[in-house]
Amino acid sequence: MNVKLTAHPARHAPLGPVAPQTPPLWALLLRLAVWPALPLLGSAGLAGCPKPAGPAGPALETCTPVTSGDWGGATAFVEGTDDWGLGDVVGVHYAAGDLDNDGYPDLIVTEGTLNQRDDYPTSRLRYVMMNRAGAGGGRTFADETESSGLLVARDGNPNGTSHNFYIEGDVDGDGDMDLFAARDYDAGTEDATGDCSEIYLNDGAAHFALAPQSDVCIADGYPTTGAAFTDTDGDGILDLWVTGWYLAYGQSTEAAQAHLYRGNGDGTFSDVTDDSGLKLKAGTNTNYLDHDARRPSYGATACDVNGDALPDLISSSYGRAWNQLWRNDGGTFTETGEAAHFDADTNLDYSDNLMYACYCDTHSCDVAPSVSCGGAFPDNYWSPGYDDQPARLGGNGFTTVCADIDNDGDDDLLTATIAHDWTGDSADRTQLLLNDGAGIFERIDNDTNGLARSRPRNRSWNEGDLFAGFLDFDNDGWRDILVVQSDYEDTHLWTWHQTPSNGAATFEEVSDATGLNQEWPGGLAIADFDLDGDLDVVTGSSTARTGTPWTTHETHLYVNQQGGNYVRFTGLPIGARVEIEAGGQYQMAEVNGGYGTSGIVSDTVAQFGLGDVCMVDSVTLTLPGGASHSFEGKAGNQAVELDW
């Protein structure tokens, strides 16, 4: 193995040691356990582009030239739903990942219906769609739900469960993707299923069996809205971060406590929330405004925002409330949302809030409203001393995306929120937050970076940004942005192409031009399903609220035709960071274990667009905990399994 560490001038701080380290004992044992599947990567065949074998994609003698940062404007995506066998698959939650270790991402689809089990095959709420070879050399999804074992409940019912979404990760260290099956149940509804959240263990061929029951099952129910697998202590065993909604929606404003579960390595988990410093006090009318009070959350994200090789924990809060960012201090956590400028934006002007204006119609107000109420709301919808406080002037957070958007070596964030016209401008909007390298964020104005959207002012409007993702759809080496805006009139997929010629983290809206402009979408997964080197997109069809054009939760697969030079790194643990330099350009990716609302899972690989170059000059892999391994020269247009 050729070992080389390369300095990256654009990086704010090193992500690991300056020389190869001896891995900790857990890494050595795990490496021995999977050694047959991890061939050593020598220096042979590093000149030019090789002919990749197996599932790595089409054979390439030379690199396909792509002009970096100059997308041609041609339609990049075409719908391939029927061709891929997804025409009858319904859902709004998607998990994309390789379940049977054949190299191709498979797809788990759920409708997310509350408190209702499948009654297979009469009533179907979930699908396990395996990526298989199709006729004529193409690919297709085959329905293998019944044989998967995911329909088997704890009480022995073989025909379905009431789990709402799934995230994927190797929880028992045997080299395949196991599942956390999340149950969303709150005490404000009736439930006759008795199901709780569970772990399903994979036999390596996408056949699943329930793990021994452990702390992830909360007997009296838990309103699970987000989950992420992560390795919080760098011991090589996955942990689990779970966020929740209101405990009894419609009956109480009390929010669920988020939970951190420490993995035991055998598929069981132990609740370490209290010992980790994550426990918050109950949010009541008297202390809800405090930073250390619980708030309803719609999304869980885990990523390393300060570059210390330990994942930090994020909760995307609902109710125009502060988001929360928990810094990992090596086993315990400190909430730093306010200090990191992540909790909310700085706009505290509520004078254009219609609820406030209605209150002022019948009460004297020190701050005169800037809009007229027009009888929109009763005057008791606004409480002075409560609704005018900073803790109530945040956002309705659903998803926080974490990745290096500007190629400077640290994880940036995108907060996807819903917003309504009646809240005025004080309610937070979807926004990009750039990292200074130490986990402190600068909120970039949407008018400045090109993410602003026009809104009709002659009628009511809503922004329903529920799901979001970063993806380099044209393989130019710069990540682009996709937002799934749903559930309200005039909502659709929004796609922004990054235009580094105008400066890093500046964007052009290209939804119509790319073909990613579906009306009223719901759910998201991003993966290279055909392994041709460019990223494909799956979304669903929302039937929420009046005005939707859909009658069922149709699934839609948008196949990317853009092509271009790429490299894909596989066989990596969740939380690993891969850094590359290619043609003088630096990029970094962190392998995630699900993020955002309803556990968005977009494959556990690190895939990079290479622009108009073929060779990767250097690769550095940093594992959770800080062990670092570096490699010289890897040829592009293939999948590479790193030996760590």
Side-chain angles (χ1 to χ4, degrees):
M1 178 189 303
N2 294 320
V3 178
K4 175 184 177 183
L5 284 174
T6 306
H8 305 296
R11 290 169 52 190
H12 297 290
L15 299 182
V18 296
Q21 286 190 343
T22 300
L25 180 59
W26 66 265
L28 293 174
L29 292 174
L30 184 57
R31 178 171 171 177
L32 288 172
V34 299
W35 187 263
L38 295 173
L40 277 173
L41 296 174
S43 58
L46 297 180
C49 290
K51 289 185 178 180
L60 295 174
E61 294 284 358
T62 60
C63 293
T64 303
V66 176
T67 302
S68 178
D70 187 19
W71 174 56
T75 300
F77 293 87
V78 295
E79 185 162 359
T81 305
D82 291 336
D83 291 343
W84 277 75
L86 295 174
D88 296 324
V89 176
V90 295
V92 289
H93 300 150
Y94 301 92
D98 183 5
L99 299 178
D100 59 356
N101 288 326
D102 67 350
Y104 287 93
D106 307 299
L107 197 61
I108 300 178
V109 183
T110 60
E111 281 205 85
T113 304
L114 296 179
N115 306 326
Q116 184 177 342
R117 281 181 168 179
D118 310 78
D119 184 13
Y120 188 87
T122 305
S123 170
R124 301 206 55 184
L125 301 177
R126 71 209 67 245
Y127 297 78
V128 179
M129 305 300 295
M130 299 301 296
N131 193 336
R132 302 300 188 205
R139 303 296 299 182
T140 189
F141 284 108
D143 186 351
E144 300 181 16
T145 310
E146 188 173 14
S147 63
S148 72
L150 280 193
L151 296 177
V152 179
R154 178 68 64 177
D155 62 8
N157 174 22
N159 296 321
T161 71
S162 57
H163 295 126
N164 301 89
F165 65 89
Y166 299 85
I167 62 169
E168 303 174 6
D170 182 8
V171 303
D172 55 2
D174 63 356
D176 52 43
M177 290 291 104
D178 309 302
L179 302 174
F180 170 67
R183 177 76 207 284
D184 182 2
Y185 167 70
D186 69 70
T189 59
E190 294 185 3
D191 172 46
T193 70
D195 293 333
C196 61
S197 293
E198 299 274 12
I199 298 292
Y200 283 82
L201 298 179
N202 191 346
D203 69 353
H207 303 134
F208 297 91
L210 284 162
Q213 202 164 68
S214 62
D215 287 353
V216 299
C217 174
I218 298 178
D220 55 354
Y222 184 82
T224 312
T225 53
F229 279 126
T230 182
D231 184 358
T232 58
D233 51 6
D235 65 352
I237 300 173
L238 286 182
D239 310 309
L240 180 63
W241 169 236
V242 177
T243 55
W245 179 236
Y246 293 103
L247 288 174
Y249 184 61
Q251 299 178 8
S252 168
T253 59
E254 182 61 36
Q257 166 68 50
H259 289 272
L260 177 63
Y261 299 98
R262 185 70 44 78
N264 299 318
D266 59 358
T268 65
F269 288 80
S270 301
D271 192 334
V272 295
T273 305
D274 293 0
D275 293 340
S276 299
L278 293 162
K279 188 173 182 179
L280 296 171
K281 64 187 179 185
T284 65
N285 288 337
T286 58
N287 65 21
Y288 182 84
L289 302 178
D290 298 343
H291 259 288
D292 58 350
R294 298 200 298 264
R295 288 170 175 78
S297 172
Y298 253 123
T301 301
C303 62
D304 177 15
V305 301
N306 60 357
D308 64 356
L310 291 173
D312 309 294
L313 304 177
I314 290 172
S315 174
S316 303
S317 297
Y318 184 79
R320 304 193 312 283
W322 282 319
N323 296 316
Q324 293 166 331
L325 170 60
W326 296 90
R327 185 187 66 220
N328 190 338
D329 294 325
T332 60
F333 292 82
T334 303
E335 207 286 304
T336 62
E338 182 177 19
H341 307 153
F342 171 70
D343 58 347
D345 68 22
T346 58
N347 186 347
L348 303 179
D349 180 6
Y350 51 84
S351 64
D352 59 352
N353 184 303
L354 290 184
M355 289 187 181
Y356 174 70
C358 288
Y359 173 84
C360 291
D361 279 350
T362 55
H363 298 76
S364 60
C365 295
D366 293 336
V367 179
S370 61
V371 291
S372 172
C373 166
F377 297 99
D379 64 8
N380 63 355
Y381 276 27
W382 182 268
S383 298
Y386 181 76
D387 289 315
D388 53 6
Q389 297 304 299
R392 286 282 291 162
L393 301 174
N396 295 303
F398 276 75
T399 291
T400 300
V401 188
C402 183
D404 184 7
I405 194 74
D406 53 1
N407 287 351
D408 66 350
D410 51 40
D411 278 325
D412 309 298
L413 303 175
L414 178 80
T415 57
T417 69
I418 65 170
H420 311 291
D421 64 340
W422 61 262
T423 62
D425 288 333
S426 64
D428 291 7
R429 302 291 190 264
T430 296
Q431 196 170 22
L432 185 64
L433 285 69
L434 296 184
N435 195 340
D436 72 351
I440 307 299
F441 295 93
E442 177 186 4
R443 289 179 171 268
I444 306 301
D445 185 84
N446 288 339
D447 290 319
T448 300
N449 60 18
L451 297 181
R453 286 167 275 182
S454 61
R455 307 183 187 98
R457 282 298 185 185
N458 59 344
R459 58 177 173 79
S460 176
W461 57 264
N462 302 279
E463 289 179 350
D465 295 354
L466 306 183
F467 309 85
F470 292 152
L471 77 164
D472 179 4
F473 75 81
D474 60 345
N475 279 338
D476 67 351
W478 295 89
R479 288 182 175 89
D480 311 302
I481 293 175
L482 179 63
V483 170
V484 179
Q485 187 187 52
S486 186
D487 289 8
Y488 297 105
E489 188 177 354
D490 296 331
T491 57
H492 61 87
L493 286 176
W494 288 84
T495 310
W496 286 272
H497 180 239
Q498 187 165 185
T499 55
S501 58
N502 297 323
T506 58
F507 301 87
E508 175 189 11
E509 197 267 304
V510 294
S511 308
D512 291 340
T514 59
L516 283 181
N517 58 350
Q518 179 190 305
E519 289 185 278
W520 226 287
L524 178 65
I526 300 168
D528 186 359
F529 291 107
D530 48 11
L531 297 189
D532 64 350
D534 50 32
L535 294 170
D536 311 302
V537 172
V538 170
T539 190
S541 307
S542 175
T543 60
R545 306 182 193 274
T546 302
T548 175
W550 309 108
T551 57
T552 61
H553 292 145
E554 300 176 15
T555 291
H556 301 267
L557 169 61
Y558 294 95
V559 180
N560 193 341
Q561 306 176 104
Q562 188 69 22
N565 300 311
Y566 73 98
V567 65
R568 177 189 303 112
F569 296 101
T570 65
L572 301 172
I574 287 171
R577 283 193 172 200
V578 180
E579 302 167 82
I580 70 167
E581 280 193 7
Q585 183 171 346
Y586 169 83
Q587 297 183 63
M588 182 272 286
E590 183 174 324
V591 180
N592 79 74
Y595 70 94
T597 189
S598 303
I600 302 168
V601 179
S602 293
D603 209 1
T604 53
V605 301
Q607 185 158 323
F608 300 92
L610 298 179
D612 56 4
V613 303
C614 175
M615 285 295 301
V616 178
D617 302 314
S618 67
V619 182
T620 301
L621 168 65
T622 303
L623 300 174
S628 181
H629 309 262
S630 292
F631 311 86
E632 282 191 46
K634 299 297 171 192
N637 300 323
Q638 65 169 332
V640 177
E641 190 164 19
L642 293 179
D643 170 24
W644 48 274

